[in-house]
Amino acid sequence: MSAEHHLEFYEYETRLAAYAVIIDERGMLLSWFNHPKRAGWSLPGGGVDFEETVEQGLVREIYEETGYHAEITGLLTVTSSTWPTGDRGRPFKAVRVIFSARVVGGELGTIEVGGSTDHADWLPLAEVEAAVPPTSTVRAGLDAWRAAG
């Protein structure tokens, strides 16, 4: 969008998503995002359904993508990106709320069928550092987690 064209909130599509940074002695829990143009590791999480709170959507997404039940432990950061044209032909804004969380039960294994996640795994932090680009949600979450101490 040009600087002289200001869009009001009702003039563009918005996707609200929530993600979790989950790190313990096994490393960092990531899910494999299977998009044909942007496949790669992502934080567990995704779109928040209309009737859910952000926290409810995140807990559901973590379970679907990883098989783990999780507890949210804090808010780390909120990021957003915009595109002039989204999937529906309108300008698009993605808002990502990133929390810290911890596993409280379940077993590793993707529950979601036909979704955007193929599998999940624990990766050592050094491997995560090497595998994710600086513009990714994983990088934003990891940087915020480190800043939170």
Side-chain angles (χ1 to χ4, degrees):
M1 297 282 104
S2 65
E4 61 273 353
H5 184 72
H6 170 78
L7 290 179
E8 296 291 333
F9 68 91
Y10 52 83
E11 296 180 281
Y12 59 88
E13 301 286 327
T14 304
R15 179 178 186 264
L16 174 61
Y19 297 91
V21 173
I22 301 174
I23 297 174
D24 67 15
E25 66 280 350
R26 294 169 283 192
M28 186 174 195
L29 181 61
L30 296 177
S31 57
W32 184 261
F33 182 63
N34 63 21
H35 191 281
K37 293 181 184 175
R38 298 183 312 271
W41 289 113
S42 180
L43 295 175
V48 176
D49 291 342
F50 184 75
E51 68 280 354
E52 295 176 315
T53 66
V54 174
E55 295 85 355
Q56 289 168 337
L58 177 56
V59 169
R60 174 188 51 76
E61 284 282 342
I62 293 169
Y63 178 68
E64 289 176 359
E65 293 185 0
T66 71
Y68 289 121
H69 300 286
E71 175 183 70
I72 297 170
T73 57
L75 174 64
L76 292 175
T77 190
V78 178
T79 67
S80 64
S81 301
T82 58
W83 292 269
T85 305
D87 293 341
R88 294 180 182 92
R90 292 179 50 164
F92 179 79
K93 182 174 193 168
V95 179
R96 293 170 297 275
V97 184
I98 303 174
F99 292 91
S100 58
R102 66 185 187 93
V103 171
V104 295
E107 293 182 21
L108 182 62
T110 301
I111 306 303
E112 171 177 86
V113 176
S116 60
T117 300
D118 285 340
H119 62 279
D121 207 351
W122 294 95
L123 274 69
L125 284 178
E127 199 173 313
V128 173
E129 289 282 356
V132 298
T135 57
S136 75
T137 302
V138 176
R139 176 71 58 204
L142 187 55
D143 289 349
W145 178 80
R146 283 198 170 115

